[in-house]
Amino acid sequence: MQSLDPQNGKNFWKKNSKSVPGSMRAVYGAMHPPITRSPNDYHLTRRPREGPPHPLTGGQQIMSSPRKESTQKKPEPSDSFQDYQESVNDAWDCGDDEFCVISDVKISNRMVQSAALSVINSHRSGQMPTSNLAELHQQIQPSIAPTEAPAVEVTTYPPVNNIHSSAGNERDMVKQEKFLELISSNSTNLMELRKLSWSGIAPPVRAVTWRLLNGYLPANAERREDTLKRKREEYWSFVKQYYDTRHEDIYQDTFRQIHIDIPRMSPLVPLFQQTIVQEMFERILYIWAIRHPASGYVQGINDLVTPFFIVFLHEVVPREEKLDTYDVELIAEEDRAVVEADSFWCMSKLLDGIQDNYTFAQPGIQTKVQQLGELMKRIDVSLHQHLERHEIDYLQFSFRWFNNLLMREMPLGCTVRLWDTLHAEPDGFSHFVLYVCAAFLKYFSQHLMAQRDFQGLMLLLQNLPTSSWSDSEISLLVAEAFRLKYMFADAPNHLQASKK
């Protein structure tokens, strides 16, 4: 018996089904404007449709009035989505990320490496025998156990510079050589590049690899230089044509909201507090909002620029410098222009695949939240029932996960490593991210089961102890996500046991 969607009776987990995680739907109005049109000819004279308050930030999708203050309350299970939005519209105000770390987990390095390597090797070979799944699950599961939080040295800033590290051993050097061989070929084999990138990309070649996997840079080497030159010029023509409209009456609210959100982005990292960096982000976000009137600017999109900006900035910052404190004004103007333009186009490519996450009422995220609940019911029924007993709605914590692609749940360096795999995985940002979120929640299952009230659960869910995470935790996370995808995406019969 297959798992069915109770609303329409269709197969829920079949990958080719309409309701597959992150499936795209037609978005009206998401057209790119011709460069030749003037602002008077283009849709700039039309006020974008306003969206509802962001469920976790309280801001409008197209901001038309100051943020509405509201007292946070615990929603009843029967509340509508609109009622829930009203109840938590102040849940992401500045400073809410400053809760202390409640607990931590101790993971055996041997088990991490063994479990992750097993799945990664199977992924490379393109197959995983079903008989090995139970054995792999037994390998991974015992490695996650609640322990007393170890003493951890507190750092001033989230780790950013680990993406700046160079290859440190012979194995890394060999892998880097394989990347260079693929990238420098006349026609890059993207399938092979994805396989190599799935377990992490060598930092010196990460920027070029992301451009290729993102679809921004052509696989044909002869076309790359012309394509990059044309696209970069195109971005700056948009800036010249549209950026001055930010102060017009019908668009100043959109720009004001962007201007408010930018300083809140990674507030502990000095790099993002530099005026020149904030101006770069304002241009990127405003031009994207103008070119995508179906959604406009939505709070959370600003975070999605950050990984691209960091990776492309890494190309032009001297290797001996610290990335999180480097003065961007020291970079040549033409290099800054390249970083900004490439960040814009790669963010646009990413959002083109998940735009229903940011249209009116954000239906793509609502669907993913529902699917996460259905998936957790099958992979960790005890945790699912524990959350239900304490009236924890998945929307209350996982909306932010999908809205920001887990960026606010882990250090920035870990996000960059996670995005290596999301770029390498087909439909990684629209489909695979669901399984990453499920693995992320399952990772902390025993810690959550130890919480005995609504308040304790919400504090932990909103501030999961990931501050000391590194690449090894991300490798384990994506390995478990791949296992879940393999089991459930194309194998609905695996769900029969939960139906009995």
Side-chain angles (χ1 to χ4, degrees):
M1 180 173 66
Q2 294 183 343
S3 179
L4 300 179
D5 185 341
Q7 299 295 326
N8 53 30
K10 294 182 179 179
N11 290 342
F12 189 77
W13 291 108
K14 191 171 178 61
K15 185 183 293 185
N16 294 325
S17 171
K18 270 187 180 177
S19 54
V20 43
S23 60
M24 284 298 296
R25 62 189 70 192
V27 178
Y28 175 77
M31 300 296 292
H32 293 175
I35 304 177
T36 55
R37 292 190 180 183
S38 67
N40 293 331
D41 296 330
Y42 182 51
H43 56 260
L44 295 175
T45 56
R46 176 184 176 190
R47 179 186 291 272
R49 178 172 53 178
E50 292 183 352
H54 190 287
L56 287 173
T57 62
Q60 295 289 338
Q61 292 180 17
I62 291 295
M63 187 72 175
S64 61
S65 61
R67 187 187 301 257
K68 180 180 177 182
E69 296 295 333
S70 165
T71 302
Q72 186 174 354
K73 66 177 182 178
K74 180 170 65 176
E76 296 296 330
S78 59
D79 282 352
S80 67
F81 178 67
Q82 290 79 7
D83 293 337
Y84 174 72
Q85 288 176 310
E86 293 294 332
S87 73
V88 295
N89 67 356
D90 62 348
W92 210 358
D93 284 339
C94 197
D96 69 322
D97 290 327
E98 301 304 318
F99 292 105
C100 64
V101 173
I102 297 173
S103 60
D104 208 334
V105 294
K106 183 177 181 181
I107 303 174
S108 164
N109 289 332
R110 181 177 61 82
M111 296 307 299
V112 168
Q113 295 170 2
S114 174
L117 188 61
S118 296
V119 177
I120 291 168
N121 289 336
S122 299
H123 177 273
R124 285 174 177 166
S125 65
Q127 60 182 358
M128 181 186 292
T130 306
S131 59
N132 291 342
L133 293 175
E135 179 183 353
L136 176 62
H137 183 60
Q138 292 301 319
Q139 285 183 318
I140 295 176
Q141 191 68 18
S143 67
I144 305 172
T147 62
E148 183 176 342
V152 178
E153 180 181 354
V154 178
T155 55
T156 306
Y157 311 116
V160 176
N161 287 312
N162 60 348
I163 72 165
H164 221 295
S165 60
S166 57
N169 54 50
E170 185 176 353
R171 181 180 178 184
D172 292 336
M173 293 297 293
V174 170
K175 186 174 183 179
Q176 183 173 319
E177 288 298 323
K178 291 181 179 178
F179 272 107
L180 290 172
E181 182 180 351
L182 281 171
I183 292 170
S184 59
S185 62
N186 291 333
S187 183
T188 299
N189 186 327
L190 293 180
M191 183 175 296
E192 290 299 319
L193 188 62
R194 290 182 187 279
K195 290 180 181 179
L196 190 60
S197 301
W198 202 92
S199 57
I201 301 172
V205 296
R206 180 176 273 130
V208 176
T209 304
W210 276 25
R211 291 186 183 102
L212 285 164
L213 296 180
N214 182 269
Y216 173 52
L217 191 64
N220 188 320
E222 294 180 356
R223 296 176 48 210
R224 290 176 189 172
E225 185 176 351
D226 290 341
T227 299
L228 288 177
K229 181 181 179 181
R230 175 174 55 83
K231 298 300 285 185
R232 290 163 180 169
E233 290 177 351
E234 189 176 6
Y235 168 72
W236 286 105
S237 72
F238 288 145
V239 172
K240 183 178 181 180
Q241 187 172 1
Y242 300 120
Y243 192 58
D244 288 342
T245 66
R246 67 192 184 280
H247 297 305
E248 294 181 4
D249 289 344
I250 62 174
Y251 298 109
Q252 62 180 355
D253 288 337
T254 298
F255 182 74
R256 184 186 300 118
Q257 186 60 49
I258 293 172
H259 188 73
I260 289 171
D261 289 344
I262 296 302
R264 298 177 178 179
M265 181 180 57
S266 302
L268 298 179
V269 182
L271 173 70
F272 297 108
Q273 303 311 307
Q274 298 179 33
T275 300
I276 190 170
V277 172
Q278 294 183 2
E279 289 173 350
M280 293 168 77
F281 273 73
E282 286 175 358
R283 285 191 293 268
I284 290 171
L285 294 169
Y286 182 76
I287 298 303
W288 189 89
I290 289 298
R291 298 182 71 242
H292 294 79
S295 59
Y297 173 72
V298 180
Q299 286 175 293
I301 292 179
N302 55 309
D303 284 330
L304 305 186
V305 185
T306 307
F308 292 116
F309 182 83
I310 285 290
V311 169
F312 298 148
L313 190 67
H314 170 229
E315 282 188 307
V316 297
V317 171
R319 191 166 300 277
E320 66 275 7
E321 297 289 345
K322 290 185 176 181
L323 198 61
D324 56 356
T325 57
Y326 190 76
D327 185 357
V328 176
E329 288 195 4
L330 298 177
I331 300 173
E333 184 177 355
E334 57 269 23
D335 289 336
R336 294 200 306 266
V338 165
V339 170
E340 182 174 336
D342 288 1
S343 298
F344 169 82
W345 285 117
C346 287
M347 181 203 72
S348 298
K349 285 277 190 179
L350 186 158
L351 289 174
D352 283 347
I354 56 173
Q355 190 165 339
D356 57 344
N357 286 6
Y358 303 101
T359 53
F360 183 78
Q362 299 178 261
I365 295 181
Q366 292 187 56
T367 299
K368 288 184 177 70
V369 169
Q370 177 193 0
Q371 292 170 345
L372 178 62
E374 291 293 325
L375 183 56
M376 291 306 298
K377 190 186 302 183
R378 291 160 173 80
I379 66 175
D380 195 337
V381 65
S382 297
L383 176 59
H384 179 78
Q385 292 174 349
H386 183 64
L387 296 177
E388 280 192 333
R389 279 196 302 271
H390 291 88
E391 298 183 313
I392 299 291
D393 194 306
Y394 283 85
L395 192 69
Q396 293 170 294
F397 61 89
S398 65
F399 194 100
R400 186 171 77 179
W401 297 4
F402 292 113
N403 191 62
N404 301 84
L405 300 177
L406 289 174
M407 273 206 58
R408 295 218 171 190
E409 317 311 318
M410 59 183 67
L412 185 53
C414 291
T415 297
V416 171
R417 166 62 189 90
L418 174 61
W419 281 32
D420 288 347
T421 299
L422 292 180
H423 273 103
E425 186 73 23
D427 301 318
F429 293 97
S430 61
H431 179 77
F432 188 68
V433 70
L434 171 67
Y435 302 99
V436 173
C437 288
F440 187 66
L441 182 58
K442 185 174 179 289
Y443 187 100
F444 296 101
S445 178
Q446 295 188 38
H447 284 76
L448 292 166
M449 292 294 292
Q451 301 297 320
R452 298 302 178 186
D453 56 37
F454 176 88
Q455 182 179 3
L457 280 165
M458 284 306 301
L459 279 174
L460 182 55
L461 284 165
Q462 293 284 356
N463 301 272
L464 291 166
T466 62
S467 59
S468 61
W469 272 27
S470 63
D471 285 2
S472 61
E473 283 81 10
I474 300 301
S475 295
L476 177 63
L477 185 70
V478 296
E480 174 69 357
F482 179 77
R483 186 186 71 85
L484 294 175
K485 177 190 173 187
Y486 182 89
M487 289 182 66
F488 293 102
D490 277 334
N493 288 335
H494 289 190
L495 310 179
Q496 286 183 358
S498 65
K499 292 292 185 180
K500 293 179 181 179

